[in-house]
Amino acid sequence: MTSMRLIKKFIIVSGLFLCVIVIILPGMGIYLYYHPERIKPMVERALAAATGASCTIESLSFSLRPLAVEARGILFESVKPEQASSLEVLFIRTDMAIEGPWGRRSLILKNMGITGIFMNGKFAILPGKTGSSFPARMVRGIVSLFFFRDIRFESGEILDGQIVAFWGDQTIQVHQIHAKTGTDKPLFVSFAMEVKNSFRNMHIKVPNVNLISNNLFDINDFKFNGTLQAEDITLEDAAFGIKKMDVLSKFTYSHAHKNLKAEDFQIRINGLALMGTADGRMPPIDVSLKAEGISSRHPVIEITNVTLQIPRAKVRTKTRDILMGDIRFTIPDGRMDTENGTISLPNIRCDAFGLKNLLLSIDIRSDLKDDSINLVFQGKKTELLHAAATYQLLPPDWELSAKDTVRIEVAGPKAGPWRMSANLSFEDLAFQNKDGSLMGEKISLTTRTQGVIDLKDSTMTFAAAVEVNTGEALYDRYYVNLAKNPVISSCNGTYAFQQKFLRLSKLTFVLTDILPLEIKGSFKQGPSIHDSGRDADFTVTIPQTPLQPIFHHLLQEPYKTKKPFLATLETGGTVSAEFTVKEFQNARQVTGRIGWRDGNLTFQDKGASLTGIDLDLPVWYETGSAEIPAESLKGKIEIQSMALPPLPEQPFSIVFDSGPNRISIDSPTVIQVPGGDLHLGSVQAQNIFGPDMSIHTRLAIDGINTQSLLSGIGVLPPEGTLAGTLTGILDPVRYEKQAVTSQGQITAAVFGGKIVLSDLGASGIFTSAPVFKLNALWDDLLLTEITTDTTFGKIEGVLKGHIRDGEIAYGQPQRFDLLLETVQKKGFPQTISIKAVDNIAQIGSGQSPFIGLAGAFASIFEKFPYEKIGIRAHLENDMFTINGTIIEGGTEYMVKRRGLSGVNIINQNPDNRINFKDMVKRIQRIAHKDGAVIN
C-alpha cells in the first residue's frame, strides 16, 4: 500500500511539472516573438557557453512563417591567452522546418548558405566528453521531446572557407573549402590542405580532399559519417619523401564521445623514398595499407585486420642490384594509446624477403607501474637459407635444405637498457656447392645470443654461442665428422652502433680434439675516429695443443694419396701460436709467434728424423704505412738430433731476427756433410709474404773430401775411388722471382787437375719443371785417371775444356756448349786405345772406323799415339751437334794422329744434326755393347 501511494504521488508531481513546462514554453516563445532584440544576446551567451569562447554576432534576424534565420558577422574568439584563436562567419542564412512524430522530431535546415568562413589560431586537443548536470540533461530531453531531437541538412552550400591553425611547430592551412548538399543528396565537402612542421622540415600538400556524408545530425550525440577521399598527396621530410599518396575510407565521427571510426581504410603510396640516398642505393618504393577497421577515441586507437604491403622493389649496392620480393605485414588486431605511448600488437604475421611463417609481437607500455617494451620475433620453417641464397647472401647456385627455428626477444624499459636474446637453430641441414667441393648433410647447428642494448650510450653488450654437434662436412680434401669432432664457438663483446666499433673480450672456436682458437680485441668499420687510429686491433691465440691431430686431419689424411710420403710421416709435440692483428686506415700489421715444443718428425721409409724440436718462430707481416716498433722480434729453433741421410746425424740450432715482412739469421750456420762442413753465412729474407720474396746469403766450402762426399750421397759406388777436395765460396747466393743465382766458384781438385763450377743457379724453383744452371771449367785433368777401368776405353794425356750455359731439366741436359781438348804437357804421353777410338768415332758419326781391312790391321795394335783430341758439342732446343776442333786442309778432325802412326777420326759430316734422344741412345749402345739398349 505504501509503494502504491509513492507511485501515485510521483505521477501527480510529474504531471504537474509537465503542465508547468507546457505553460512556460509557449509563454517564452510569445515573449521572444514580440521582443526579438532579446534573442541575439541569448544566442551569443548560448554559443559562448557551448564553445568555451567569446561570441559576438553583428546582426541576427529570424522569421516564423516561413521559419528562417539569418546572421552576419559571427565571431568566436578564445578567452585563454595561450590559445589565441578565432572563427569568423561573414554571412549565414537558412530556412528551417520541424518534421516527424513527437519525441522523434527533426529540425530540417534548407537552403543553407554560408559565405566567408575563416578560422585561425592555436588549438589544443579537444577534451573528452564531460558529464553534464541533471537540469541540462533534463532541458535537452524536453527540447528533444517537444521540439526536435536531431538536425538534418536538406540543402545548403558553404563558399570561400579557410582555416589556419597552429599546433606548436606545426602549421595547418585549409583553403578552398566548399560544401554543398541538397534534397536526397549527400553532404559533399571539398578543400585543399597544407601542413608544415619547421622543426622536422616537413611539408605536406593535399590538393584534393573530398568528404561525402549524410546530412543528419543528432543534437544529443553529434555524429558525422561518410566517406573520405584524398588524392595526389605529396610529402617532403628530413627522413623520407612521398611522391604521390591516395587515401580512401568510410568514417563515423561522434563528437560527444570524441570517437572516430574508419572502415575499409586504404592508403596507396607511389614513390616512397628515404632521404640521404643520393647514390641511388634505395630507389623509391610503393606501399599500400589496408585496414578493415580503425577506431580512435582519444587517446586510444584500435585497429582490426590491417595489411601493409610493399610490392617488389630493387635495392642497388656497390656491386649488384638486389630485387626484393613482396613484403607483407598482416595485423589481426592492435591497440595504441597516443597519450601515454602504449602499443599492443600481439600477432603480426610477416611475409618478407622470401621468409615464411614469421610472427612479430610488439608490446609497449607506458604508465607509472609499467614503462617497458617487449618485442618477440619468431618462426619455424622460415626458409631462411633459401632467402639468403635468393638475395645472394649465400651463393645462389648452392643446394640448401634445413628445418630452421628462430626466436628473438627484446625487453626492458622504454628508455633502455633493453635485454635481448636470440636463438637460431638448423636441423637436418644439408648443403652442396656447384662443383661439389663443399658439402654437408644431417648437420645440427644451434646459435644462442644474450645481450643488453643501451640506447643512451648506443651500445650493445652480448654473449653468443654456436654449436654444431651432428652431421658430416667436406671441403675439398678436408672431412670432419661433427659427431666425433663437434664445432663449439662462443663470443663475448660490446658493439657501439654510432662508431660502428666492435670489441671482443673473448671469442673462442674449438674443433673438438683437433684445433682450439681464441680471439680478443676490437674492430671498427669505416674511417677510424679513435686515438689509436686503428680500424682493428685484436689478438689470435692457439693455446698449447697436440700437433698430431692437427697434422692427421688437416694434412696427412687430405693429401696422403697425392703425397705418399705423408702416410708414413710421424709427428709429435705440442704447437701454439699468438698473433696480434692491427688494421689502420690504409695499413695492416700482423705480429706474433709460432711455437713447437718437444717436437719430432720421423720419415719411417727414408730413415730420416728430427727429434727434440724446440721452435719459437717470430712472424711480422705488414702493408701500407704501419707503425714500426723500435725493436725487432727474436726467435730460435733448436733440434737435439737431426738425422737426414746422407747427412750425418747432428744437432741443429739457429737464431731468428724478424722485422716487417722479413726474417734473418744473423749468425753463421755450420752443416755437417760427408767429408766435411758447409758454412752457411747470414741469411736475409725480404718480402717473405709476397710474390717478390727474396733471399740473400753466402756459402763457403773448405776442404770437403770428395771421396767421402760422393760415397755418402750415393753418387760413387762403395768400391769406387775419387780422391780430391772441394773448396770455394759462393757470395752472394740470391733467390728472387723463383730463381736462384750465385756469384763465386767452387773448385774440385780431382784427377790431377781441377774442375771449377761457377754461375750455379736455378729457375722455376716452385714449378713442376725447375731448370738448373751452371758453367764449368776444367784444366790439367789426367785422362788416364778418368778413363782407366771404364768401358769407354783408356786415353792418356791432359784434358782441358768447359761447359758453358749448361741447363738441366727433368733430370737431363736441355742446353749446353761443351769443349774437350787435350794439351801437350811434358812427362805425360798422349795415346788412345782402339776401343776409345771406336767409341769416339761412333759418337761423332754413328759408325766404327774399324771395318773390313782397317779392322784387321787395327787388331794388331792396342793403342795409338795422337797429336791432339778436340771435340765441341752443342745442345739447344733438343737438337744436338758434334764437331771436331782441329781443322787442317779443309778437313775437320776430332782426333789427329801424330806423324804417320796412329789413327785420324774425321768428321765426315760437319753439318750433321741429331735429336738429343737419339744421341742418348747412341751413347747407351756404347756403354752397353754386351746388352740391348732400352728405349
Side-chain angles (χ1 to χ4, degrees), residues 90 106 234 259 298 330 340 376 408 450 476 510 528 644 696 700 741 880 924:
L90 298 182
S106 297
T234 61
N259 187 15
H298 183 76
T330 303
N340 59 25
V376 179
I408 302 173
Q450 303 285 335
D476 195 19
V510 178
S528 176
L644 300 175
H696 291 193
T741 60
F880 182 78
Q924 288 176 337

Side-chain angles (χ1 to χ4, degrees), residues 870-890:
I871 299 173
R872 179 181 294 275
H874 183 76
L875 172 65
E876 189 168 7
N877 297 328
D878 199 37
M879 294 304 299
F880 182 78
T881 60
I882 186 168
N883 296 93
T885 62
I886 308 167
I887 309 295
E888 292 183 5

